[in-house]
Amino acid sequence: MHVDPYEKFWMFAAAGLIVLFASSVVYGAFSYAGHPPSHVETIDPSTARTDPRFAELGVVEKPDGSVEVVVLAQMFSFMPGEIRVPAGRPVTFRVTSPDVIHGFQIVASNGNATIVPGYVSQFTTTFAKPGEYLIVCNEYCGLGHHLMSGRLIVEEGA
Ligand SMILES: [Cu+2]
């Protein structure tokens, strides 16, 4: 079978790019521990408000010095609306939604997660310096979506 040299060139070029992109994903996963920002933990959205994991909303200090923040994202607010965490310590956010898909974006930081009903979104980040951050919902969730925001206050670490 005759294959035109130009066609052959582009076939190999396309195959080469696929190999290059696929290996960059594998390289990133192993050498930079790159992984999706969440984990698979399910929850019944209809009972999320009374689920023991979300019974106490807010900031909890763990015995090992880490900080956990439990947040409910709902139409059209975050509970709690104001979060205070210490600077320089890992903070793990655990967020779920009892109604529709929401976003949980801590503006001007690397904290960002999509909150899908039925799942617990979790990510850990550290805030180096004290300051104030705006938390916004970045998934259109209904008529009051533009009102859905919260405040994160990073305080001088103890
Ligand atoms: Cu929204």
Side-chain angles (χ1 to χ4, degrees):
M1 186 180 72
H2 173 75
V3 179
D4 188 84
Y6 285 115
E7 181 134 23
K8 210 180 263 175
F9 169 78
W10 285 112
M11 280 163 54
F12 281 106
L17 282 176
I18 291 168
V19 170
L20 180 75
F21 295 152
S23 44
S24 77
V25 170
V26 173
Y27 176 73
F30 286 99
S31 33
Y32 297 103
H35 53 79
S38 194
H39 68 302
V40 179
E41 180 182 344
T42 55
I43 184 168
D44 182 353
S46 63
T47 57
R49 285 189 174 89
T50 51
D51 191 285
R53 289 168 289 173
F54 286 84
E56 222 168 294
L57 302 171
V59 182
V60 179
E61 291 212 19
K62 296 277 169 186
D64 66 355
S66 67
V67 177
E68 194 176 274
V69 184
V70 180
V71 180
L72 200 68
Q74 59 186 1
M75 292 189 280
F76 298 100
S77 66
F78 295 107
M79 278 176 58
E82 188 181 295
I83 298 164
R84 286 173 185 271
V85 296
R89 275 159 65 182
V91 180
T92 299
F93 289 87
R94 287 171 55 74
V95 193
T96 194
S97 163
D99 40 51
V100 298
I101 293 182
H102 295 286
F104 185 84
Q105 181 180 5
I106 306 168
V107 179
S109 83
N110 66 348
N112 188 8
T114 301
I115 316 305
V116 182
Y119 292 90
V120 177
S121 297
Q122 178 175 307
F123 64 91
T124 303
T125 186
T126 303
F127 300 93
K129 285 181 287 187
E132 207 177 303
Y133 293 84
L134 174 69
I135 302 170
V136 294
C137 171
N138 57 12
E139 291 282 347
Y140 183 74
C141 54
L143 285 176
H145 167 66
H146 61 289
L147 302 170
M148 193 168 168
S149 69
R151 259 168 23 120
L152 176 79
I153 297 156
V154 179
E155 298 174 319
E156 200 70 60

